[in-house]
Amino acid sequence: MKIKSLDDLRKIMESSDDLTAARSGSSTKVIIGMGTCGIAAGAREVMTTVLTELEKRGLKNVAVETTGCIGMCQKEPLLDIIRPGEPRITYGEVTPDDVVRIIGEHLVNGRVVEDKVVGQTD
Amino acid sequence: MSFYRAHVLVCKGTGCKASGSFSVFEAFGEEIKRRGLEREVALVETGCHGMCEMGPVVVVYPEGSLYCRVAADDVPEIVEEHLYKGRLVQRLLYSTPDRDVKVPHYRDIPFYSKQHRIALRNCGYINPDKIEEYIARNGYEGFARALTSMKPEDVLSEVKTSGLRGRGGGGFPTGLKWEFCRKAAGDKKYIICNADEGDPGAFMDRSILEGDPHAVIEGMLLGAYAIGADEGYIYCRAEYPLAIRRLGVAMAQCEKYGLLGERIMDTDFSFTLHVKEGAGAFVCGEETALMASIEGERGMPRPRPPFPANKGLWGKPSNINNVETWANVPNIIRNGSEWFASIGTEKSKGTKVFALTGKVNNTGLVEVPMGTTIREIVFEMGGGILNDRKFKAVQIGGPSGGCLTEEHLDLPVDYESLTAAGAIMGSGGLVVMDEDTCMVDVAKFFLEFTQRESCGKCVPCREGTKQMLLILEKITSGKGRMEDLQILEELAIMVKEMSLCGLGQTAPNPVLTTLRYFRDEYEAHIRDRKCPARACSALMSYTIDIEKCKKCGLCAKNCPVKCISGDRNTPYVIDQEKCIKCGTCLEVCPFQAVSKE
Amino acid sequence: MKEITLTIDGKICKGSEGNTILEVARSNDIYIPTLCYLEGLTPIGSCRMCVVEVERNPKMMTACTTPAQEGMVVHTQTEKLRKYRRQMLELIFAGRNHFCMYCSQSGDCELQDMAIAHGMDSVRYPFLYAGFQNDASHKDIQMDHNRCILCLRCIRICAEKTGAHTLDLQKRGWNATIVSDLGRMLGESDTCTSCGACAQVCPTGTITLREFAYRGRRKDCDSVIESVCPLCPVGCRIRVYVRTGSIARVEGISVTGPDGGQLCNKGRWTLPRSSERERICSPMIREGSHYREASWEEAMGLVAKEFGKAHKADSDGALVSSLCTDEELALFASLFRDSLGMERLDTFDGNVLRGFVKGFEPFRKQGIRPFTAAHNILESDCIVNLSADPDEEAPVIASYMRVATLRGKASLLNLSCKKSPFEDLTDIDAVTPSPAENALLIEGLADIAGGSGTDQEKVSTVATKTGVSEDKIYGILDALAKARKPVFVLGGCLSDKPEAITSAVNLAIACRSFFADGIGVIPLVVSSNSLGAINTALAKESWLGKKKLDFLYVYSTGMVPEDEESLSAISGTRFVVVQSPFWAQPLVNLADVLLPAPAWFERGGHYCTIEGERRHLNVVVPPKGEIRGLSSILEDLSANLGVKPGKPEEPPCGNLFICENPPANARMVSLKEVRD
């Protein structure tokens, strides 16, 4: 479908999943930083652990996405959790072990794993 | 091995034992048995978790919930609520001292608080492989509006008024550069994106291309529209395969949506984009060498005039800009030139992305408004010097840039201030150095790079940098003479003025700035044959303390050049002439009798 | 061109818009030092010696590349520039092995001259004692990379003038060196034509010609004479360096000309070697299988006697070389044809010439000049090679074709009986099984191109008759239709069928191949002065070999071998007089009387070249000993034969270069006019 006008553009905008927290609708998301800095720090292992963990727990409605480098390269691998209606939280220096904790505590139970948090954004 | 659906780990370390973890352990054992959960729940005793203050500590997996100060009486509740019903026992969970402190927002974290992310606005936020996410954040809105309701001259004039200057290092006013190309005679024009990013340690452009390729594509579409070009190239170094892949995906998606190709959005404007991979030459980041490379020729710079705006790619008028410059453009068109001009200083508008690296706590990319001070960047965003060492210098601009010292910490970061101090903005590489960094070694490091990357076309760069490097090698290996400093400086000045292209013209900068601000270090290397920062290994000497030496002879046995002599009755001594400064003796001495000066 | 005024070193200088600062300076006698610059090659500004200060410009500019502008104020000799130039020269000397004592080029070296001019008597930088290769793999050209200053002149001339682009750089920075063919040594190169242009332009002793290295520096020679090469129809201008009566070196003259001052392998090596060849120094008379020296009286007397007998029996003939000058050919024509009434006078390449003359005749009748100057190939955007082998017939023509194709982006089509000589550059290769089909192909194409639209039936007929596929024929027609200025290079072998030549010109006219001086056809006639022979020594009809003769007078310059047919006819003649400068085998062995002649370098005159102009030859070395000029010898012969040599009637090729009717008025002709 070709974009022929500003209206066409707006339609796509509106139908897209909003990435911002407050209006994220019904989707829960796990977002992993997969720029080269992230990959160098081990983001691929983090990604694999996320997918395994979600499968182990049978969590079916969680979207797993990737993103680029947000700049805090010192803290890579970075991992973001979005739950409907809640702020988007970024965790830093995430190891595969941390993934298990984060998914358990935050994704499932809603408790932010504070010792790994870097920041939140809306 | 049987599969348990839950594991209960009870700490039986000394600390928790003292607070009663053994009885907690037994209580769990009984309760699990009573509830018939032995087959499903595993009870494990562990060592110390470290948080002894919070003991007895119990961790339940798979949730990884950490229960603190657990008493034997709490056990039935934990088994009932958590293991049976799957509900966490909130009152026992670990929490930080102030339970009411919210998780800090990005804008409150020092690393981000002073940043103003324009070029990096989408990086780390959206999925770069999905054009819909870019559009969801107002992507292509600027372009669509420009194409349907603005004239090309208006787009150009917006960029001019915004005050945007080239972010690749030159700092040339972008709008003016576009205007030269627009005014040049000829129907066929090219738009080029310089994504060669050769500065060692610089990765601003890489992050933008990997994290937000559409920003660059939209910028180039706007540029092509404003200038009157219908074809463009992104020259990306081959060492960035992920960036190239992301660009390919993004371009394919654009084509699908009709944002690239013929008659875009049903107008007369057409634009085809190609990606050309570099082949490992820093010199191909120079405009004319880059164009030669695209043409299939050897990547060597060509004399200017004629300028690319009049005679560029294949002799046609071409406009070339850096990745970060292009990424700024959509924002300018979408939010207006006034908005952009309101950020930054009078002559340097907007923001700049810096790659903060070196001896700081927080390394990474920061995008700050022009005019932010170096102190703010290094100490606030960077979190100060690593390991609490002392700040010594900061190198700005990579191998083309210069060093600035403590006296410059309050210098605002903008084109004019940096040039006046002897450095350059460059592409944004910012390397922080502490007291353990040898400035002569820094100059040598950068010169090694530029000398290796010199294309060889012109005499000053080809021969001059080689001779300069030889002098620096002499100095750092303790063979320098005072006259060498004068020869070095004269060479540096000549190479800077007489070289054909930017590589040669800026290669002497690290040498010149370190000579200007750290001449004493050079002189120490020459006169005293010592490296004040203790970094140049050739100038270090290893000595054995006679008092501490127990005459065991381990050092002599392990010395690869057999330069240590002594015996059971005579303390061992290192022959300084033969010593190759490998440091093995220091490593193997069991009595710490060897020291390094 | 608009005139501009600028100030250089305080002097008001006038130049034209578009000139560089260096050009303006030179035309105003202001010296700016240069090393990499060579007039005629694209300036690259890499040596930085010509850097000047321009007021109100913060950057230093290279004078060789920067366009001069009205009102510019330029300083070329400031204290700073002098200091920097000295530094750079010292860096060059320290960087590689510039040890003048061992170098054949010492005394003749631009780098050395520059160092002396800048007072460089010491080098403050440590010598790096480079260990680059000394490439001696080529049998004639040597490349010692340790002396190279990377001025890149050799790369530029090989690419821009010779068109082979054999040389380029490998590696980077201080380690960069010149290589051939993406990494080979020169002797192993596939593309090198061994023309030696690289050696001619090399400012240092990096590229040298082994044979001439220690024979004589350019500055040391006794005389330097400009003349014209006698070896092929292009007639390249040459500069000959003479030392102790010997030719030390031959070079092309000016890189600014369209031929870029290049010579081919033949010109550069054959010419100097020829001054060392064994000479026929005095008249010789055969006795058995030996020759004995004789006096001029005896020799001339014998010749006259034999000639008299044969002439009475109408069994005499004269065969002369088309390497002779206009003046020499006119003398022959005047003596043999006019004064002696000999019908049989011809040149060695007579058959080829007659073919061309016949093929061109219908257009001469229209007052049109049916060919253009050879260097116009460089202006073309579509070059058609009709059975030519330029590398053999006229190597500089091959250079033009390569340069036009590679740099000018011209398309290249080959229509001949052999594969294209330019394998990787050819767009369409239409090879026919034999010359007959080739002639039909040209005829067919002319017919279709001259008509309106592209007749499919005709294309199909041509395809069937010639064996060339329809696709290719459509391709050729398409390329020709798109071309604004096509040119057609005619190989010498086309002259076997004069109608093929007429068809070629027809095709050119159909494609509107018109240049200011004539139709876009370049005929590769055989010899350097074939065109000059047309109005002089050329016979109207071929007679050689038709009947056994009793007397044959043969003049050969000895510079190119004679063809089989001629030699066979000569050996069947009863009495043969051979006049030649050299003991040219096997020709001289067929003679009964040998007469000496001045060599090509011992006489002057004119050649009519396919470069579209009459070129002047100078005497390089005056003849020595018994060697006499041709006119003096022929006067003697006339006296002995009892006749006076007449005066030549009209300038030998004067009318050949004239075009009375504008080329655009040319009309295609029917082949009936040319067929027998």
Side-chain angles (χ1 to χ4, degrees), chain C residues 203-223:
Chain C
T204 62
T206 305
I207 310 182
T208 48
L209 301 181
R210 278 202 253 221
E211 216 165 300
F212 312 115
Y214 288 95
R215 285 245 207 123
R217 304 182 189 121
R218 294 179 184 92
K219 290 200 198 96
D220 268 352
C221 289
D222 302 322
S223 52

Side-chain angles (χ1 to χ4, degrees), chain B residues 280 298 303 305 452-460 462-463 466-467 470 490-491 493-494 497-500, chain C residues 44-46 48 60-61 65 67 80 84 87-88 91 94-95 124-126 128 149-150 169 171-174:
Chain B
R298 186 179 148 97
R452 195 171 51 235
E453 295 291 332
S454 165
C455 76
K457 186 167 176 177
C458 75
V459 172
R462 177 179 84 233
E463 305 284 344
K466 178 118 183 141
Q467 293 282 358
L470 283 176
E490 279 176 353
L491 260 178
I493 294 170
M494 187 276 285
E497 271 214 82
M498 294 292 266
S499 291
L500 195 153
Chain C
I44 55 173
S46 79
R48 318 304 288 172
M60 312 277 261
M61 316 292 282
T65 60
K80 186 161 73 161
Y84 285 165
Q87 268 180 294
M88 291 194 298
L91 281 173
R124 77 193 89 163
Y125 307 109
L128 301 181
I149 60 170
L150 293 176
L169 282 173
K171 298 207 187 152
R172 221 170 31 210
W174 190 79

Side-chain angles (χ1 to χ4, degrees), chain C residues 282-302:
Chain C
S282 69
M284 316 232 49
I285 297 180
R286 190 189 191 119
E287 282 188 353
S289 44
H290 300 295
Y291 289 95
R292 64 164 174 87
E293 276 188 37
S295 65
W296 280 99
E297 287 85 29
E298 195 192 341
M300 288 300 195
L302 181 57

Side-chain angles (χ1 to χ4, degrees), chain C residues 548-589:
Chain C
K548 246 165 140 13
L549 296 172
D550 288 315
F551 177 92
L552 200 56
Y553 174 95
V554 179
Y555 186 95
S556 165
T557 62
M559 293 299 287
V560 292
E562 291 75 24
D563 59 290
E564 286 272 339
E565 218 187 296
S566 306
L567 287 174
S568 164
I570 295 169
S571 81
T573 308
R574 197 182 56 77
F575 187 85
V576 178
V577 181
V578 170
Q579 184 167 16
S580 177
F582 305 111
W583 285 90
Q585 305 294 4
L587 179 65
V588 294
N589 275 1

